[in-house]
Amino acid sequence: MKQLLIRNTLAIRNTLGIALFILVSLASCTTTTIDEFRQGETGIESNESVVILGRRQASDYETRSEFVSCVGERMNRGDGAMRIIPEQEFVDAMFPWFEPRTAPLRTRDLERLMTEDVVADKMTEFGVRYIVWLDGFTETTDRSGSISCTIGPGGAGCFGFGSWEDDSNFDARVWDVGSLTNVGTISTDATGQSYLPALIIPIPLIARVEANACSRLATQLKEFVNGS
Amino acid sequence: MHILDVTTKGLSRKIVLLLAALSLAACGVNNVVIQGSFPTPNINKLPLSVAVYYDTALTEFSYIEYSETGSEEYNIASGQSHVELFNAVLPAMFDTVIVVESMEEAEARGVDAIFAPAIEEFQLALPSKTKLDVYEIWIKYNMRLLTAEGDYIADWVLTSYGKTPTESLRSVEAAINEAAVVALRDLASSFSLSFTQVPEVRDWLNTL
């Protein structure tokens, strides 16, 4: 009888262990797809720099500045690293030409903007060779499950299970400031499922969807700008 | 046992006080004073000397957002931030800018024009009401440009818009402030770039 009880306990432990392993494996699983469309030759000198800007013209979302910084930081380090001008520093220095309402939407607008001496001088001062426009957002869908937490004199605890899916979609358009043309577009689509099982304490198993999108996009952008 | 009783009583009192404080906080209005830094525009200066007059309706401007039950929810004071914004923008637009305390003082200073901005309307859209993941602010202005003698030159309407996305670890007050700063920057950009394109202003500039 005692042996049967021990065997059952071990079986439950194993099942829980396997379930947890599957959950962790699934949580770490993020699918990222990168699409590159090249329209022109690229390359960058050591004295030239890149500025990465977020598009903020859409009415129901805006490209988060944290994502823009993340891509910039990753392009600024490692193999083939390049000089990246921080977004806020550039937008403030160029004020009022790169605000959501006044920023150029097409390369034709940039061409017109460059006829302004103050803008052209600042671009030269920064050594800007490429402007990268990031446009996109991360959406959370398919939320399911529920978790309830209780607090009492004997202690506190949570029980339940929750899950959701994150989907990051970002486009990066690369403008060559030298030729005033669009030299290419890189699109990234990352999806991943996150889980939150709670057995006394909640254990978050979060899929790093936006972080993966940032990392893959930055690597691809770096190669694209370097012309490799 | 006696010690345990005292501790329990103390804890109960603390919980009651905390609940009371939370209830009171939930009833009161949340004050938001708009604060931000505004860069100087990179534009060509006009060779004009302009006096700027901020009336108290502008300097003390505040907007109250009401909850769905009709109680005051947010009190947004943006008067001083408007003054700071114009003080950063106007010296980049005109050769000389003088801030005056009254219209009479402006007339006495012998300037080319007097600029008197006014806020006509302020609107706030909260995600809890719009069901969108953004905080939005619209501001409608009436810009007035007068001669040194107080005669009309131009009177035009300008609107500005600012939005900021919702973020998990940011308070509503901080999000409102950020949306307002974006709206103020929008005002500065459209005002500085469109000033010479206002038909009445253009006509007046051609007469100088």
Coordinates of all heavy atoms in Angstrom, one line a residue, chain A residues 49-80:
Chain A
S49 N 27.1 58.3 -40.1 CA 26.2 57.7 -39.0 C 24.8 57.4 -39.5 O 24.5 57.9 -40.6 CB 26.2 58.7 -37.8 OG 25.7 59.9 -38.3
V50 N 24.1 56.7 -38.7 CA 22.7 56.3 -39.1 C 21.8 56.8 -38.0 O 22.2 56.8 -36.8 CB 22.6 54.7 -39.1 CG1 21.2 54.3 -39.4 CG2 23.6 54.2 -40.2
V51 N 20.6 57.3 -38.4 CA 19.7 57.7 -37.4 C 18.4 56.8 -37.6 O 18.0 56.6 -38.7 CB 19.3 59.2 -37.4 CG1 18.7 59.7 -38.7 CG2 18.4 59.6 -36.3
I52 N 17.9 56.3 -36.4 CA 16.8 55.4 -36.5 C 15.6 56.2 -35.8 O 15.7 56.6 -34.7 CB 17.0 54.1 -35.7 CG1 18.2 53.4 -36.4 CG2 15.8 53.2 -35.8 CD1 18.8 52.3 -35.6
L53 N 14.5 56.4 -36.6 CA 13.4 57.1 -36.1 C 12.1 56.3 -36.1 O 11.9 55.5 -37.0 CB 13.2 58.4 -37.0 CG 14.4 59.3 -37.1 CD1 14.1 60.4 -38.2 CD2 14.6 60.0 -35.8
G54 N 11.2 56.5 -35.2 CA 9.9 55.8 -35.2 C 8.9 56.6 -35.8 O 8.8 57.8 -35.7
R55 N 8.0 55.9 -36.6 CA 6.9 56.6 -37.3 C 5.8 56.8 -36.2 O 5.4 55.8 -35.5 CB 6.4 55.7 -38.4 CG 7.2 55.9 -39.7 CD 6.8 57.2 -40.4 NE 7.5 57.3 -41.7 CZ 7.9 58.5 -42.1 NH1 7.7 59.6 -41.5 NH2 8.5 58.6 -43.3
R56 N 5.2 58.0 -36.2 CA 4.2 58.2 -35.2 C 3.0 58.9 -35.8 O 2.3 59.8 -35.2 CB 4.7 59.1 -34.0 CG 5.8 58.3 -33.4 CD 6.3 58.7 -32.0 NE 7.2 57.6 -31.6 CZ 8.5 57.7 -31.7 NH1 9.1 58.7 -32.3 NH2 9.2 56.7 -31.2
Q57 N 2.7 58.5 -37.1 CA 1.6 59.2 -37.8 C 0.2 58.4 -37.6 O -0.8 59.0 -37.9 CB 1.9 59.3 -39.3 CG 2.7 60.6 -39.6 CD 4.2 60.4 -39.4 OE1 4.7 59.3 -39.2 NE2 4.9 61.5 -39.4
A58 N 0.3 57.2 -37.3 CA -1.0 56.4 -37.2 C -1.9 56.8 -36.1 O -1.3 57.3 -35.1 CB -0.6 54.9 -37.1
S59 N -3.2 56.7 -36.3 CA -4.1 57.3 -35.3 C -4.2 56.3 -34.1 O -4.5 56.8 -33.0 CB -5.4 57.5 -35.9 OG -5.9 56.3 -36.4
D60 N -4.1 55.0 -34.3 CA -4.4 54.1 -33.2 C -3.2 53.4 -32.5 O -3.4 52.6 -31.6 CB -5.4 53.0 -33.7 CG -4.9 52.3 -34.9 OD1 -4.0 52.8 -35.6 OD2 -5.4 51.2 -35.3
Y61 N -2.0 53.7 -33.0 CA -0.8 53.2 -32.4 C 0.3 54.1 -32.7 O 0.2 55.0 -33.5 CB -0.5 51.7 -32.9 CG 0.1 51.7 -34.3 CD1 1.4 51.7 -34.5 CD2 -0.8 51.6 -35.4 CE1 2.0 51.7 -35.8 CE2 -0.3 51.6 -36.7 CZ 1.1 51.7 -36.9 OH 1.6 51.7 -38.2
E62 N 1.5 53.9 -32.0 CA 2.7 54.6 -32.4 C 3.9 53.7 -32.1 O 3.8 52.9 -31.2 CB 2.8 56.0 -31.8 CG 2.9 56.1 -30.4 CD 3.2 57.5 -29.9 OE1 2.4 58.4 -30.3 OE2 4.2 57.7 -29.3
T63 N 4.9 53.8 -32.9 CA 6.1 53.0 -32.8 C 6.7 53.4 -31.4 O 7.1 54.6 -31.3 CB 7.0 53.2 -33.9 OG1 6.3 53.1 -35.1 CG2 8.2 52.2 -33.9
R64 N 6.9 52.4 -30.5 CA 7.4 52.8 -29.2 C 8.9 53.2 -29.3 O 9.7 52.6 -30.0 CB 7.3 51.6 -28.3 CG 5.9 51.2 -28.0 CD 5.7 50.2 -26.9 NE 6.7 49.2 -26.8 CZ 7.5 49.1 -25.7 NH1 7.3 49.9 -24.7 NH2 8.4 48.2 -25.7
S65 N 9.2 54.3 -28.5 CA 10.6 54.8 -28.6 C 11.6 53.7 -28.0 O 12.7 53.7 -28.3 CB 10.7 56.1 -27.8 OG 10.2 55.9 -26.6
E66 N 11.1 52.9 -27.1 CA 11.9 51.8 -26.5 C 12.4 50.8 -27.6 O 13.5 50.4 -27.5 CB 11.2 51.0 -25.4 CG 10.9 51.8 -24.1 CD 9.8 52.8 -24.2 OE1 9.1 52.8 -25.2 OE2 9.6 53.5 -23.2
F67 N 11.5 50.5 -28.5 CA 11.9 49.6 -29.6 C 12.9 50.3 -30.5 O 13.9 49.6 -30.9 CB 10.6 49.2 -30.4 CG 10.9 48.1 -31.4 CD1 11.0 46.8 -31.1 CD2 11.2 48.5 -32.8 CE1 11.3 45.8 -32.0 CE2 11.5 47.5 -33.7 CZ 11.6 46.2 -33.3
V68 N 12.7 51.5 -30.8 CA 13.7 52.3 -31.6 C 15.0 52.3 -30.9 O 16.1 52.0 -31.6 CB 13.1 53.7 -31.8 CG1 14.1 54.5 -32.6 CG2 11.8 53.7 -32.6
S69 N 15.1 52.6 -29.6 CA 16.4 52.6 -28.9 C 17.0 51.2 -28.9 O 18.2 51.1 -29.0 CB 16.2 53.0 -27.4 OG 15.3 54.0 -27.3
C70 N 16.2 50.2 -28.7 CA 16.7 48.8 -28.7 C 17.4 48.4 -30.0 O 18.5 47.9 -30.0 CB 15.5 47.8 -28.5 SG 15.9 46.1 -28.7
V71 N 16.8 48.8 -31.2 CA 17.4 48.5 -32.5 C 18.7 49.3 -32.6 O 19.7 48.8 -33.0 CB 16.4 48.8 -33.6 CG1 17.1 48.7 -35.0 CG2 15.2 47.9 -33.5
G72 N 18.7 50.6 -32.2 CA 19.8 51.4 -32.2 C 21.0 50.9 -31.4 O 22.1 50.8 -31.9
E73 N 20.7 50.5 -30.2 CA 21.7 50.0 -29.3 C 22.4 48.7 -29.9 O 23.6 48.5 -29.8 CB 21.2 49.6 -27.9 CG 21.1 50.9 -27.0 CD 20.1 50.7 -25.9 OE1 19.9 49.5 -25.5 OE2 19.6 51.7 -25.4
R74 N 21.6 47.8 -30.5 CA 22.1 46.6 -31.0 C 22.9 46.8 -32.3 O 23.8 46.1 -32.6 CB 21.0 45.6 -31.3 CG 20.5 45.0 -30.0 CD 19.3 44.1 -30.2 NE 18.8 43.6 -28.9 CZ 19.2 42.5 -28.3 NH1 20.2 41.8 -28.9 NH2 18.7 42.1 -27.2
M75 N 22.6 47.9 -33.1 CA 23.3 48.2 -34.3 C 24.6 48.9 -33.9 O 25.6 48.9 -34.7 CB 22.5 49.1 -35.2 CG 21.4 48.4 -35.9 SD 20.4 49.5 -36.9 CE 21.5 49.7 -38.3
N76 N 24.7 49.4 -32.7 CA 25.9 50.2 -32.3 C 26.9 49.3 -31.7 O 28.0 49.8 -31.2 CB 25.4 51.2 -31.2 CG 26.3 52.3 -31.0 OD1 27.2 52.6 -31.8 ND2 26.2 53.0 -29.9
R77 N 26.7 48.0 -31.6 CA 27.7 47.1 -30.9 C 27.8 45.8 -31.8 O 27.0 45.4 -32.6 CB 27.3 46.8 -29.5 CG 26.0 46.0 -29.3 CD 25.7 45.7 -27.9 NE 24.6 44.8 -27.7 CZ 23.6 45.0 -27.0 NH1 23.5 46.1 -26.3 NH2 22.6 44.1 -26.9
G78 N 28.9 45.1 -31.5 CA 29.2 43.8 -32.2 C 29.9 44.0 -33.5 O 30.3 45.1 -33.9
D79 N 29.9 42.9 -34.3 CA 30.5 43.0 -35.6 C 29.8 43.9 -36.5 O 28.6 43.9 -36.6 CB 30.5 41.5 -36.3 CG 31.6 40.7 -35.6 OD1 32.5 41.2 -35.0 OD2 31.4 39.4 -35.7
G80 N 30.5 44.7 -37.3 CA 29.9 45.6 -38.2 C 29.2 46.8 -37.6 O 28.2 47.3 -38.2

